[in-house]
Amino acid sequence: MTKLYCRRLALIAIVLGALTGASTVWSTWFSLGFPFPAAAHGSQAPAPDKGNTTLIKAGRLIDVKNGRVLADQGILIEGERIKQVGSIAQVQSSAGGAAVIDLSNGTVMPGLIDCHTHILLQGDVTSADYDDQLLKDSIPFRAIRATTAVKAGLMNGFTAMRDLETEGAMYADVDIKRAINLGYIDGPHMFVSTRALSSTGTYPLIGYSWELKVPEGVQIVDGVNEIRKAVREQVKYGADWIKYYSDRRYYLKDGTLHSWCNFTDEEAKAIVDEAHRLGKKVAAHSIGKDGIASALRAGVDSIEHGDGLDDELIDEVVRRGVYWCPTIYVGVYVAEGRAAGGAPIWKTMIDLEARAFNKAVKKGAKIVFGTDAGGFPWTENEAKEFNYMVKYGMTPMQAIQSATAVASTMLGASQEIGSIEPGRYADVIAVVGDPLTDISLMEHAGFVMKAGRMVKGMKN
């Protein structure tokens, strides 16, 4: 870790403290099985208050594990965890003097999980959008903006996120995660991937004079030895997942979306093997058929974007049990701007992904909810993704499950988040109305609770 980066980390800590103040420190939110290295993160937050009990009265409760809706349910919460779930009469008899939250007029469900975000990015339609952030905004400034991004996501009902790289902001995602866990800022449970990996000449910033040393949006690695060292570094500094860029340069040939691969098979396999050896899963940015096939040969755990999935590749995804995170909305959001900038293929990719999504649903692929928020501004509600998932072939129940039970299973955290069951974190949201008949209601989370603390109350 460079001296400059250490100074930047210190400045981030100072700024966050000045912005929030010690009086805002709430109970510790555990890192869901991904603790920070003691050498890098030695401080401890106060233990949560185990004595606080809350009873939620749910008019309708979505049981995401079994794909059903239960009426008149009670959720008894003790501290950060769910203690009991059942009929309101049964649970109320055990509630004693618990504080009551009446959501009898709402549809209650687990907190949502966005499996593909970029909290340190604030919109990426054009190359200028991206370059300006890396060239003009310091890492401390970007970290400050990230604190508003994570809160925006939380207020929209996303109580957990997998953040898939910092886009040149080094390990600031680990710092944001720590600030959330210690209660200095509001935000979701975070699963972070730090810097991501790509090879020389394959990722912005590019196109500048060779006489200039410009920032890199990722960690550049070439060859097996560099790759293994980079994976070890990222894990050392707090990565929960390893993310790499499998491909670039998307083009149509014979009706199929193709791409250039960034790594040889030997290199891609080294990324996955080293990550798995260290107990971490791997996400691969893979849009074209060639990049997807390369990632699958390497043994990745999740395919990100995947516009070029065809029948053969979908069958392989299903056979291997690999998760697919489509990120539909971002493709729609950026298409016009990127087409205007000289890349019309992005408009074509909208229809290609719609077709792939419909086929994958029918074939039983494991699809997780992810938005690529940060690729579009955080002022946009991530929950817009649900509308496209249903439009392209999922039932509303399947779409909600993709953002809860299926997502938590992919993250290896199904015993902690993703369902409303005893022992899980009390991550609970509610909407007015029935999202199973109108999925757009998912954009209007009226009630949000994370780890037993209400961060947004339902208005009557």
Side-chain angles (χ1 to χ4, degrees):
M1 193 183 300
T2 66
K3 292 181 179 179
L4 175 60
Y5 181 58
C6 289
R7 289 197 295 269
R8 284 173 169 170
L9 288 185
L11 181 54
I12 290 170
I14 292 168
V15 171
L16 290 179
L19 285 174
T20 60
S23 63
T24 63
V25 178
W26 296 86
S27 60
T28 302
W29 295 318
F30 301 131
S31 56
L32 301 177
F34 300 104
F36 297 110
H41 307 287
S43 60
Q44 291 185 331
D49 184 354
K50 300 295 186 182
N52 291 340
T53 58
T54 304
L55 171 65
I56 293 178
K57 295 181 177 180
R60 290 161 48 86
L61 175 64
I62 298 182
D63 174 4
V64 295
K65 283 289 190 72
N66 298 297
R68 59 182 181 172
V69 179
L70 304 173
D72 300 322
Q73 296 292 290
I75 307 167
L76 185 61
I77 297 162
E78 187 175 271
E80 298 180 324
R81 303 272 179 170
I82 296 169
K83 184 177 181 181
Q84 185 180 356
V85 183
S87 69
I88 187 62
Q90 177 187 16
V91 175
Q92 197 162 13
S93 66
S94 306
V100 176
I101 297 175
D102 191 348
L103 300 177
S104 299
N105 295 324
T107 299
V108 178
M109 67 194 84
L112 304 174
I113 304 167
D114 189 338
C115 292
H116 191 129
T117 68
H118 297 281
I119 60 172
L120 286 133
L121 199 60
Q122 305 294 329
D124 182 22
V125 174
T126 68
S127 58
D129 293 335
Y130 186 87
D131 292 9
D132 280 354
Q133 291 175 74
L134 271 69
L135 291 170
K136 297 180 180 179
D137 295 342
S138 67
I139 292 177
F141 182 77
R142 292 178 65 191
I144 293 168
R145 296 193 73 184
T147 67
T148 67
V150 293
K151 184 168 184 179
L154 180 62
M155 296 300 281
N156 287 331
F158 292 89
T159 56
M161 291 181 187
R162 181 181 61 155
D163 198 68
L164 286 183
E165 80 158 308
T166 61
E167 301 287 3
M170 297 297 285
Y171 301 98
D173 54 350
V174 179
D175 298 310
I176 296 296
K177 173 181 173 178
R178 185 184 178 215
I180 293 169
N181 286 353
L182 292 175
Y184 291 108
I185 59 174
D186 279 335
H189 305 287
M190 297 297 299
F191 300 79
V192 299
S193 64
T194 71
R195 301 174 64 189
L197 302 171
S198 198
S199 56
T200 297
T202 62
Y203 200 80
L205 277 56
I206 54 177
Y208 292 87
S209 167
W210 60 266
E211 297 173 293
L212 300 175
K213 177 62 177 175
V214 295
E216 304 280 6
V218 292
Q219 186 169 2
I220 300 298
V221 289
D222 299 296
V224 168
N225 289 339
E226 281 190 13
I227 283 167
R228 290 190 181 277
K229 182 178 180 181
V231 170
R232 293 169 188 173
E233 284 179 354
Q234 292 188 9
V235 172
K236 173 184 177 181
Y237 293 124
D240 302 320
W241 279 68
I242 297 299
K243 191 260 185 88
Y244 79 95
Y245 283 82
S246 180
D247 64 356
R248 70 191 192 284
R249 295 281 185 94
Y250 316 113
Y251 63 96
L252 276 179
K253 181 180 179 182
D254 300 326
T256 299
L257 185 68
H258 286 274
S259 57
W260 291 10
C261 292
N262 294 334
F263 292 102
T264 66
D265 279 3
E266 182 186 24
E267 289 173 321
K269 194 169 189 305
I271 296 171
V272 176
D273 285 352
E274 191 64 21
H276 286 177
R277 188 182 71 82
L278 297 175
K280 305 300 180 183
K281 295 181 180 180
V282 179
H285 166 111
S286 34
I287 289 181
K289 179 174 182 176
D290 309 82
I292 296 167
S294 171
L296 291 174
R297 290 194 300 270
V300 301
D301 300 284
S302 72
I303 295 291
E304 308 302 311
H305 314 302
D307 305 55
L309 281 165
D310 59 14
D311 285 294
E312 179 184 1
L313 288 172
I314 293 169
D315 289 341
E316 185 69 4
V317 164
V318 172
R319 186 184 72 81
R320 290 175 176 267
V322 174
Y323 290 87
W324 178 29
C325 187
T327 68
I328 303 166
Y329 179 63
V330 72
V332 175
Y333 187 91
V334 305
E336 288 292 341
R338 293 187 179 179
I345 190 66
W346 285 90
K347 294 175 71 173
T348 305
M349 284 158 56
I350 295 173
D351 293 332
L352 292 174
E353 187 166 39
R355 192 182 315 153
F357 189 91
N358 187 267
K359 289 180 179 180
V361 171
K362 291 177 179 178
K363 288 175 177 284
K366 295 192 290 190
I367 299 174
V368 294
F369 183 100
T371 66
D372 213 358
F376 56 82
W378 283 92
T379 49
E380 295 285 312
N381 191 325
E382 298 156 88
K384 289 181 179 180
E385 186 83 13
F386 285 109
N387 294 284
Y388 289 93
M389 298 177 90
V390 172
K391 179 182 177 182
Y392 291 171
M394 273 188 168
T395 67
M397 178 64 80
Q398 287 176 317
I400 292 170
Q401 288 173 316
S402 77
T404 52
V406 181
S408 67
T409 301
M410 182 192 73
L411 293 172
S414 60
Q415 297 302 306
E416 305 286 347
I417 58 176
S419 61
I420 295 180
E421 297 181 86
R424 275 59 172 180
Y425 277 103
D427 296 345
V428 182
I429 71 166
V431 301
V432 175
D434 183 5
L436 298 180
T437 58
D438 181 3
I439 195 64
S440 68
L441 294 176
M442 297 300 293
E443 297 174 38
H444 306 285
F447 174 87
V448 180
M449 171 181 282
K450 183 214 168 185
R453 185 173 73 85
M454 185 174 69
V455 296
K456 185 178 184 181
M458 184 82 82
K459 295 179 180 179
N460 295 324

